[in-house]
Amino acid sequence: MKRLECLLICSAAAFAQNALDPAAAEWKSAAPVTLALHRTPPLYPTDAPAALEIPSVQAQIIHSPAGNFVRLEWADKTRDSAVLPKAEHAWQGDHLVTQSAATDRFSDACAVMIPAKPITGDLNPSLQMGDPDHPVHIFVWDGTRGAAVMEASGRETTKRTGQSFPAQAQYAAGKWTVTMQIPDLQAGTPFAVAIWNGSQQDRDGRKYFTIWYRAQ
Amino acid sequence: MPQHQISMVLDLNKCLGCQTCTMACKKLWTDGDGMDYMYWNNVETRPGQGYPRNWDKIGGGFEDGKLRPSELPTKEDYGQTFEYNYAERLFQGGMQAMPQEEVRNTPNWDEDVGALMLGENYYFYLPRLCNHCTNPACLEACPRKAIYKRAEDGIVLVDQDRCEGYRYCMKACPYKKIYFNELLGKAQKCIFCYPRIEKGEVNACAKQCPGRLRFVGYLDDPESAVHKLVHVYKVALGLFPEKGTEPNVFYVPPFNPPRTGSYGKSVLEDPRMPMDYLKYLFGDEVIDVIRRLEGELHRAQSGGTSEVLQLLIGRDEHVRYQIPKHEDLIQIQGVHKA
């Protein structure tokens, strides 16, 4: 449990157009807040150390009648995402096999973590994927595999719920902009952000992360 | 520790390099989408680059009890998968059957090349599969706990539902016998044909082997050929024992033919292939094994009987395979602890 330290001021607006469009005009009126990114310590001896090359992520949150939206923007010199053909044939059959194009590429990704149930008091769940008494929901966007909702109650417990959520992404001028619609990200909800840089083999706990912030 | 450990012994003196095992496995398990480049069982020429290329040099396994860093093999390291211009060749005529792309590396790129020692060529075939290790580095490396070793038979499997495709296991495996299905985002590997083993049927690779070089059974079954070859006769060794994973696939080391003009000399007196190379693959103990096998050969050549050689001939399946159905496994009384 980590004591709540930071507040993030959010905007309320009514979207005239697709709120998930990273270029929607309403996002220009929502003041971006720069969240410092921290790097997880080397967790895995099989991997080379990673560089701290993405120091921060800009976050905006808008509560609107259409829902609660978050927009994340961060600089990443390399775009690591791929469009993969669908795997249609799991085992056997009279068909030409669709190929795996690569074995060693990883995708850029981001995630927003929020408590799975309302927080009482000013203590947040563990930053390491919550804890047994304070489970979390994680909304992950991955440059190759798209959006997925995960749940966790502590480190190494994350699992996919099988659900997706509305998200949109664009990469331009060395920056990723990802918008997400997260219904439970209401005013006062604590949230934390994670960023993965595929070109340095980021995945899993090998990532950048923020401390807890609170949407106001 | 599992209650029982299934195991395979491969007699490298009998391997023809025909890849029938490779194809048996491919057709049974890895002909799905995203698995094009995967050969859970492969046969590579040694000395040689191996599959994936330089797998034995890029890391993995344990050092002082800790996982060793490793590179991740690229698709090109595994070798290209390509089609031939069958339609043009068959229906237009006048041209050779050619790959549809320039080929730079394949799983068996340097087949039969080998190496030279004192002007004479040597090589042998090394069939490889997951070693279903007693101390699996892949299992140790997986932060998702998606890899598990079955209590009933020691087979190591990847839970496809838990796997997130992080590929720490691929780095950790010193044998590079875990593959990544990019389309599914999952790690996949040899399952030791567990649905067959559970029914008392031998693995597809062993069943199809024309050289009859594979022996399959439970290491803790004193009646099994694998137990006798590994623990009683002590003529089979694991690959790269110093990597610390305690593999459960074992090899009877290859002799190669005598050198020209070395008639009457022992393999160790006048070896065709450098013993240092065999020590590199199987550890220092390989010298004792070769000495033991040569002694058995001399005994047989002198008109005596060698139980070891008789077993290694293994003409019939009941000699090579002792695989009780899973429901009968309880009857095996373990007598050996490694």
Side-chain angles (χ1 to χ4, degrees):
Chain A
M1 300 280 278
K2 180 176 176 58
R3 194 167 180 81
L4 173 66
E5 291 172 347
C6 301
L7 298 176
L8 180 66
I9 308 302
C10 305
S11 305
F15 279 96
Q17 51 181 302
N18 177 16
L20 286 172
D21 179 359
E26 285 75 7
W27 288 115
K28 292 188 174 60
S29 61
V33 178
T34 300
L35 312 181
L37 286 170
H38 309 274
R39 186 75 197 175
T40 50
L43 299 170
Y44 306 109
T46 53
D47 283 17
L52 180 60
E53 56 182 9
I54 304 178
S56 63
V57 55
Q58 284 200 335
Q60 294 165 280
I61 294 176
I62 290 182
H63 306 297
S64 82
N68 299 314
F69 297 90
V70 60
R71 182 180 187 270
L72 301 174
E73 184 174 291
W74 72 95
D76 185 338
K77 290 177 198 154
T78 53
R79 175 181 183 155
D80 301 298
S81 62
V83 178
L84 298 178
K86 201 175 170 192
E88 295 179 27
H89 306 282
W91 306 103
Q92 303 180 332
D94 187 16
H95 60 86
L96 275 180
V97 172
T98 306
Q99 298 192 6
S100 283
T103 57
D104 62 339
R105 59 182 173 184
F106 295 87
S107 292
D108 294 333
C110 66
V112 172
M113 175 169 72
I114 62 173
K117 53 188 185 185
I119 292 292
T120 53
D122 60 356
L123 290 174
N124 294 322
S126 164
L127 202 52
Q128 292 192 326
M129 313 302 117
D131 51 73
D133 293 332
H134 303 86
V136 293
H137 285 154
I138 304 162
F139 297 81
V140 187
W141 171 87
D142 175 299
T144 300
R145 302 189 188 281
V149 182
M150 303 185 85
E151 56 189 13
S153 53
R155 195 168 164 233
E156 298 182 345
T157 66
T158 49
K159 65 177 181 186
R160 289 174 187 268
T161 62
Q163 295 175 319
S164 185
F165 64 93
Q168 208 166 309
Q170 77 176 29
Y171 183 85
K175 282 184 179 176
W176 275 111
T177 309
V178 178
T179 51
M180 305 173 171
Q181 183 175 7
I182 302 175
D184 294 334
L185 186 57
Q186 294 159 357
T189 304
F191 73 96
V193 176
I195 302 289
W196 288 265
N197 181 4
S199 60
Q200 60 172 351
Q201 299 194 350
D202 282 357
R203 75 278 198 201
D204 179 43
R206 185 182 161 94
K207 67 188 177 191
Y208 301 94
F209 66 97
T210 70
I211 57 172
W212 285 106
Y213 291 85
R214 188 162 290 208
Q216 290 287 347
Chain B
M1 289 289 286
Q3 294 156 344
H4 304 289
Q5 178 63 59
I6 193 83
S7 173
M8 187 182 287
V9 172
L10 299 93
D11 184 352
L12 297 182
N13 295 290
K14 294 167 79 178
C15 183
L16 315 167
C18 66
Q19 306 285 358
T20 308
C21 50
T22 309
M23 288 299 107
C25 178
K26 186 78 184 153
K27 286 302 292 177
L28 189 58
W29 298 119
T30 62
D31 66 347
D33 287 339
M35 307 174 100
D36 53 292
Y37 76 96
M38 292 182 201
Y39 293 94
W40 290 354
N41 180 102
N42 76 292
V43 182
E44 57 197 47
T45 298
R46 285 275 151 191
Q49 66 175 27
Y51 160 85
R53 186 165 51 196
N54 298 328
W55 63 266
D56 52 329
K57 299 182 180 72
I58 60 178
F62 295 97
E63 193 165 35
D64 300 327
K66 292 181 181 166
L67 291 169
R68 288 174 65 227
S70 169
E71 297 296 318
L72 203 53
T74 64
K75 179 89 188 280
E76 190 153 318
D77 287 332
Y78 288 100
Q80 294 155 264
T81 46
F82 50 86
E83 289 292 332
Y84 285 83
N85 58 339
Y86 295 122
E88 291 90 336
R89 175 70 187 90
L90 291 172
F91 302 116
Q92 295 175 17
M95 61 182 73
Q96 287 183 309
M98 296 288 288
Q100 287 181 332
E101 59 189 89
E102 183 193 350
V103 182
R104 295 174 304 277
N105 187 37
T106 64
N108 211 14
W109 183 246
D110 52 0
E111 183 174 35
D112 290 2
V113 174
L116 287 175
M117 186 171 84
L118 302 176
E120 289 190 38
N121 177 250
Y122 68 94
Y123 64 81
F124 60 92
Y125 302 112
L126 183 68
R128 300 206 303 119
L129 60 154
C130 170
N131 286 287
H132 296 275
C133 302
T134 297
N135 185 25
C138 57
L139 186 154
E140 172 84 11
C142 178
R144 301 273 311 158
K145 301 194 185 343
I147 300 183
Y148 59 104
K149 187 168 176 67
R150 303 211 305 184
E152 60 268 41
D153 53 20
I155 292 176
V156 176
L157 296 174
V158 181
D159 181 335
Q160 295 287 284
D161 290 330
R162 291 238 11 111
C163 177
E164 283 285 333
Y166 294 148
R167 285 161 273 175
Y168 296 110
C169 56
M170 289 173 67
K171 288 192 168 194
C173 175
Y175 306 103
K176 295 297 174 268
K177 269 294 171 191
I178 302 190
Y179 307 86
F180 180 59
N181 185 326
E182 189 182 40
L183 303 192
L184 298 177
K186 306 285 184 189
Q188 298 178 322
K189 63 177 275 299
C190 161
I191 58 174
F192 211 79
C193 284
Y194 74 83
R196 295 171 64 92
I197 295 292
E198 287 173 4
K199 293 176 185 166
E201 283 289 334
V202 76
N203 321 53
C205 56
K207 182 79 177 178
Q208 297 294 322
C209 176
R212 307 181 197 191
L213 61 98
R214 297 185 188 226
F215 300 76
V216 181
Y218 288 89
L219 261 190
D220 49 326
D221 174 3
E223 300 304 316
S224 71
V226 293
H227 174 88
K228 289 174 186 168
L229 291 170
V230 174
H231 291 309
V232 179
Y233 303 132
K234 298 185 193 303
V235 291
L237 297 168
L239 200 51
F240 290 115
E242 78 280 6
K243 308 273 187 186
T245 62
E246 300 179 47
N248 286 304
V249 172
F250 299 87
Y251 297 93
V252 178
F255 271 26
N256 260 225
R259 282 172 49 75
T260 309
S262 68
Y263 181 77
K265 292 181 182 171
S266 78
V267 172
L268 290 170
E269 276 179 322
D270 193 14
R272 174 173 282 256
M273 76 177 103
M275 286 300 132
D276 280 350
Y277 187 66
L278 289 184
K279 285 200 265 187
Y280 166 69
L281 290 176
F282 302 108
D284 291 347
E285 208 183 329
V286 74
I287 301 300
D288 292 336
V289 169
I290 286 185
R291 195 170 282 134
R292 219 169 277 139
L293 282 168
E294 199 164 41
E296 296 292 332
L297 267 178
H298 284 315
R299 182 184 305 166
Q301 287 164 349
S302 312
T305 304
S306 165
E307 285 180 29
V308 186
L309 296 186
Q310 285 300 316
L311 179 56
L312 285 174
I313 287 170
R315 179 180 175 276
D316 297 319
E317 288 196 356
H318 71 84
V319 176
R320 300 196 301 277
Y321 316 138
Q322 295 79 34
I323 311 169
K325 291 178 186 171
H326 261 208
E327 62 218 47
D328 301 329
L329 263 183
I330 194 145
Q331 292 175 4
I332 293 181
Q333 298 297 316
V335 293
H336 179 85
K337 288 276 179 278

